């Protein structure tokens, strides 16, 4: 008997925490716009008139993208630290952080998305150069 | 990672993924994808990236779109599994857990966990607390835009009686007889086929030149409201139809009516072009923005110069018009080709148009028109003779 009310209280707490969170979502504007999320949710068959759920999905997607991007950033910084060159151009370029396909594919691989990028297309003079140094 | 046995499976999966991706990313989705690109770029910028590779940005935005799509699909599935149509917050959380299960989240192994305090939600709460509020850069309208389609009223709505007992009143009503009585379908002799209703009310006699004439007149009119093209069957509706849409105008019998349209005033630039005989670079420069009439006008002027040389040579379709300034000429002799080298490309367009309307052979009319045409060209070719 005793644990039941406790667990039910716990559940109430969790529910209230969830509902509070959902309410607070309305104050926070996610970077991913609502219309875009609505479009893709409608495409998938998701039906819900509640705006808070859409915000939840938007926030979740933003979190996902942020995580992937931060992993890619870490890969990029690791690569820049590994490259040791004395040229000043390289040092100046090191400050610029570019989202490169290589880093992205590595970080996405951890999330189960297998992205394979073409090494090069032999259609321009700058083919086959190290992709980090090639400005696209 | 690269096992010999697993390679085939991966290839199969890749081929399946390709077929799925072609369905997912359709051409109509470009707008949403571009918005996703902007959003993802903003998120990456807040993380710390300063620039992106195009392909990387596209890939990441595509992945994000698929994430939303998969989340929605899973949530919908969970809702349907529970016997509901509309999804719940718990369906969404379950979907999130499924997506995050690859990396794992706190409490994933707990069998008796409650969804409300799921580790996924807690992670999101932390994220919201930490993240900087960066709103989206643009104002997006509601999309996709749903057109309000005005349905055709049913018999019952219009208050009309259906023609027979076999037609129920909730079916859409037949269109008004006037609209298809004087309707001229361009390029085809079969008219009743387009309506599917043979009421036998009106009969329009067809000649091949009529659609040609109408087409020509519409070209020449150049935006003027065409009230002079109404030949037979002058009902108000036909007039309205012709005012709004020249292709619904009543067809004219050949030579029936004097078309009262102001002559085309060629822009001075183009007329100077012809006079100076230097049309090629300027035409190319104007590119697609040159109106159709102007393109034809230059060709016509060039044609007129070559008219005097040959007379009654093979002319596939001479479009005869009351106004002497505008002539369409499809079949041309060799001399004019030499003198106006750019004309070859224009000729193809003209030939295409002529082919559309070519229907049947009425050589008597053509010969007659060719004679009249040559006479008129003799009269009005004053400037071009000088240039030639």
């Amino acid at each position: 008997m005793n644990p039941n009310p406790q667990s039910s209280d716990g559940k109430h707490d969790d529910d209230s925490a969830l509902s509070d969170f959902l309410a607070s979502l309305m104050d926070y504007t996610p970077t991913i716009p609502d219309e875009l999320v609505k479009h893709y949710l409608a495409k998938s068959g998701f039906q819900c008139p509640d705006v808070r759920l859409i915000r939840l999905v938007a926030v979740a997607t933003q979190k996902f993208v942020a995580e992937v991007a931060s992993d890619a950033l870490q890969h990029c910084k690791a690569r820049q630290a590994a490259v040791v060159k004395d040229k000043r151009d390289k040092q100046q370029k090191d400050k610029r952080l570019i989202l490169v396909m290589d880093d992205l594919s590595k970080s996405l691989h951890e999330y189960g998305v297998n992205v394979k990028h073409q090494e090069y297309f032999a259609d321009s003079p700058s083919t086959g150069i190290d992709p980090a140094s090639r400005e696209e | 990672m690269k096992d010999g046995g697993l390679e085939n499976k991966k290839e199969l999966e890749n081929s399946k993924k390709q077929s799925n991706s072609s369905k997912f990313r359709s051409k109509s989705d470009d707008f949403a994808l571009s918005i996703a690109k902007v959003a993802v770029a903003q998120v990456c910028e807040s993380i710390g990236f300063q620039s992106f590779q195009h392909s990387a940005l596209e890939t990441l935005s595509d992945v994000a779109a698929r994430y939303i799509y998969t989340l929605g699909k899973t949530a919908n599935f969970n809702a349907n599994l529970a016997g509901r149509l509309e999804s719940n917050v718990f369906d969404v959380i379950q979907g999130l857990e499924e997506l995050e299960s690859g990396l794992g989240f706190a409490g994933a192994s707990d069998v008796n966990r409650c969804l409300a305090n799921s580790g996924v939600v807690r992670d999101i709460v932390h994220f919201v607390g930490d993240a900087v509020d960066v709103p989206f850069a643009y104002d997006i309208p509601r999309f996709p835009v749903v057109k309000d389609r005005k349905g055709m009223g049913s018999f019952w709505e219009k208050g009309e009686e259906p023609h027979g007992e076999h037609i129920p009143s909730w079916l859409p009503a037949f269109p008004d007889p006037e609209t298809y009585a004087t309707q001229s379908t361009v390029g085809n002799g079969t008219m009743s086929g387009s309506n599917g209703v043979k009421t036998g009310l009106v009969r329009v006699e067809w000649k091949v030149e009529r659609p040609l004439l109408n087409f020509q007149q519409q070209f020449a009119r150049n935006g003027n409201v065409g009230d002079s093209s109404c030949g037979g069957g002058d009902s108000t509706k036909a007039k309205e139809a012709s005012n709004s849409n020249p292709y619904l105008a009543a067809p004219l019998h050949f030579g029936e009516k004097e078309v009262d349209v102001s002559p085309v005033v060629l822009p001075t630039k183009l007329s100077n072009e012809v006079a100076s005989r230097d049309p090629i670079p300027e035409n190319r420069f104007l590119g697609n923005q040159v109106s159709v009439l102007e393109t034809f006008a230059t060709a016509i002027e060039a044609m007129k110069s070559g008219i005097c040389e040959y007379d009654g040579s093979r002319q596939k379709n001479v479009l005869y018009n009351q106004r002497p300034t505008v002539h369409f000429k499809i079949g041309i002799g060799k001399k004019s080709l030499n003198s106006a080298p750019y004309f070859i490309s224009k000729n193809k367009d003209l030939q295409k148009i002529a082919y559309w309307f070519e229907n049947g052979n009425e050589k008597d009319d053509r010969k007659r028109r060719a004679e009249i045409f040559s006479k008129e060209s003799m009269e009005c070719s004053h400037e071009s003779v000088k240039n030639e």
Side-chain angles (χ1 to χ4, degrees):
Chain A
M1 290 301 163
N2 275 338
N4 278 341
Q6 257 187 349
S7 57
S8 66
D9 280 344
K11 277 184 190 168
H12 285 314
D13 285 340
D14 292 332
D15 287 341
S16 62
L18 189 57
S19 51
D20 287 342
F21 170 63
L22 287 176
S24 71
L25 267 185
M26 295 314 292
D27 298 330
Y28 175 78
T29 315
T31 310
I32 299 183
D34 276 348
E35 286 84 5
L36 180 71
V37 177
K38 270 189 217 172
H39 173 74
Y40 280 113
L41 286 180
K43 215 171 167 186
S44 68
F46 181 89
Q47 261 181 311
C48 187
D50 200 352
V51 190
R52 296 176 297 175
L53 280 187
I54 296 174
R55 283 281 166 93
L56 179 64
V57 173
V59 166
T61 314
Q62 189 179 342
K63 176 170 164 288
F64 170 74
V65 172
E67 282 178 357
V68 172
S70 62
D71 282 351
L73 189 70
Q74 285 171 8
H75 280 120
C76 184
K77 284 184 177 169
R79 182 153 25 88
Q80 280 179 354
V83 170
V84 179
K85 278 197 180 175
D86 294 335
K87 289 184 189 172
R88 284 195 180 174
D89 296 336
K90 195 72 182 182
Q91 282 175 4
Q92 278 172 9
K93 272 187 195 174
D94 280 348
K95 292 176 187 174
R96 290 199 73 200
L97 297 163
I98 308 175
L99 178 63
V100 192
M101 204 56 206
D102 272 348
D103 299 333
L104 188 63
S105 64
K106 280 182 203 165
S107 56
L108 276 176
H109 186 73
E110 295 173 17
Y111 285 86
V113 182
N114 295 325
V115 175
K116 204 178 167 192
H117 185 60
Q118 292 282 352
E119 287 297 327
Y120 58 86
F121 295 101
D123 58 352
S124 75
S126 66
T127 55
I129 304 177
D130 179 26
S133 60
R134 178 171 41 145
E135 292 280 332
E136 209 169 321
Chain B
M1 290 271 273
K2 287 184 184 175
D3 291 347
L6 281 175
E7 266 180 73
N8 290 331
K9 265 193 192 173
K10 277 185 186 172
E11 279 174 25
L12 260 176
E13 280 173 7
N14 282 340
S15 62
K16 274 186 198 169
K17 273 178 197 170
Q18 275 172 10
S19 63
N20 283 338
S21 68
S22 60
K23 282 178 202 168
F24 180 80
R25 189 198 272 184
S26 62
K27 223 180 175 184
S28 59
D29 210 23
D30 281 346
F31 184 62
L33 268 179
S34 47
I35 293 181
K37 263 193 247 179
V38 176
V40 163
Q42 277 187 277
V43 172
C44 290
E45 201 183 14
S46 69
I47 295 290
F49 278 109
Q50 284 148 355
S51 56
F52 322 90
Q53 274 187 351
H54 283 293
S55 51
L57 184 63
E58 273 185 27
T59 313
L60 191 53
S61 57
D62 189 38
V63 169
R66 277 173 203 265
Y67 189 85
I68 303 175
Y69 182 81
T70 312
L71 204 49
K73 207 165 146 188
T74 318
N76 188 39
F77 173 75
N78 287 331
N80 291 339
L81 196 60
R84 280 179 276 114
L85 275 182
E86 289 183 354
S87 305
N88 217 345
V89 65
F90 297 113
D91 301 325
V92 176
I93 295 177
Q94 262 187 311
L96 277 172
E97 284 192 352
E98 203 175 303
L99 278 171
E100 293 287 324
S101 62
L103 262 185
F105 54 92
S109 59
D110 192 4
V111 178
N112 295 325
R113 72 177 180 278
C114 171
L115 275 179
N117 64 345
S118 149
V120 178
V121 181
R122 269 184 271 140
D123 287 342
I124 295 182
V125 173
H126 285 315
F127 176 76
V128 173
D130 295 339
V132 181
D133 194 357
V134 179
F136 189 66
Y138 300 112
D139 270 333
I140 311 174
R142 280 192 61 193
F143 74 98
V145 179
V146 180
K147 265 193 198 172
D148 270 338
R149 292 185 61 200
K150 243 194 326 178
M152 298 184 66
S154 63
F155 281 111
W156 184 76
E157 280 176 19
K158 279 194 175 175
E160 288 177 5
E161 272 294 314
H163 294 244
E165 277 187 7
H166 61 286
I167 305 176
S169 60
W170 46 263
L171 280 179
F174 292 133
D176 291 323
E178 289 86 11
T179 54
Y180 52 77
T182 53
Q183 191 175 19
S184 63
T185 56
V186 181
N188 240 349
T190 63
M191 195 205 68
S192 57
S194 61
N195 295 322
V197 173
K198 291 180 185 170
T199 56
L201 272 175
V202 180
R203 253 308 52 257
V204 182
E205 298 142 55
W206 273 106
K207 280 191 182 178
V208 176
E209 296 84 31
R210 196 165 301 120
L212 248 49
L213 278 172
N214 276 336
F215 190 60
Q216 197 182 355
Q217 282 158 16
Q218 281 124 38
F219 255 68
R221 212 172 296 130
N222 217 7
N224 292 339
V225 177
D227 48 1
S228 56
S229 64
C230 282
D234 274 330
S235 61
T236 50
K237 284 208 173 175
K239 253 198 171 174
E240 276 173 25
S242 68
N243 281 340
S244 59
N245 189 355
Y247 291 97
L248 291 178
L252 281 177
H253 289 270
F254 177 70
E256 179 187 85
K257 191 162 183 178
E258 193 75 23
V259 177
D260 180 25
V261 184
S262 61
V264 172
V265 177
L266 286 179
T268 50
K269 191 184 181 185
L270 285 174
S271 54
N272 285 340
E273 268 178 17
V274 174
S276 64
R277 276 278 173 223
D278 189 21
I280 302 171
E282 287 197 70
N283 261 344
R284 294 249 171 93
F285 175 72
L286 287 172
N288 293 331
Q289 284 135 19
V290 178
S291 74
V292 185
L293 179 65
E294 288 174 358
T295 42
F296 283 137
T298 51
I300 289 155
E301 290 297 323
M303 259 190 312
K304 276 203 286 185
S305 62
I307 280 168
C308 303
E309 276 75 26
Y310 66 98
D311 187 9
S313 58
R314 52 173 186 89
Q315 297 164 4
K316 275 188 193 172
N317 265 326
V318 177
L319 307 186
Y320 174 59
N321 196 353
Q322 307 282 352
R323 296 180 297 111
T325 46
V326 178
H327 299 291
F328 287 114
K329 193 96 161 276
I330 309 304
I332 50 170
K334 284 179 189 174
K335 256 201 175 173
S336 64
L337 270 178
N338 284 336
S339 60
Y342 70 92
F343 188 68
I344 298 168
S345 60
K346 300 282 190 297
N347 190 26
K348 281 184 193 161
D349 296 328
L350 290 174
Q351 274 183 345
K352 243 194 256 176
I353 295 169
Y355 178 71
W356 295 335
F357 299 123
E358 197 177 61
N359 221 347
N361 283 324
E362 301 195 14
K363 289 187 180 166
D364 295 333
D365 277 337
R366 283 206 193 116
K367 276 190 185 167
R368 187 169 29 103
R369 273 184 285 119
E371 286 169 10
I372 301 171
F373 180 75
S374 56
K375 274 188 219 162
E376 282 209 349
S377 63
M378 291 295 221
E379 290 168 3
C380 65
S381 61
H382 36 276
E383 297 167 353
S384 12
V385 174
K386 260 192 250 168
N387 286 331
E388 200 53 33

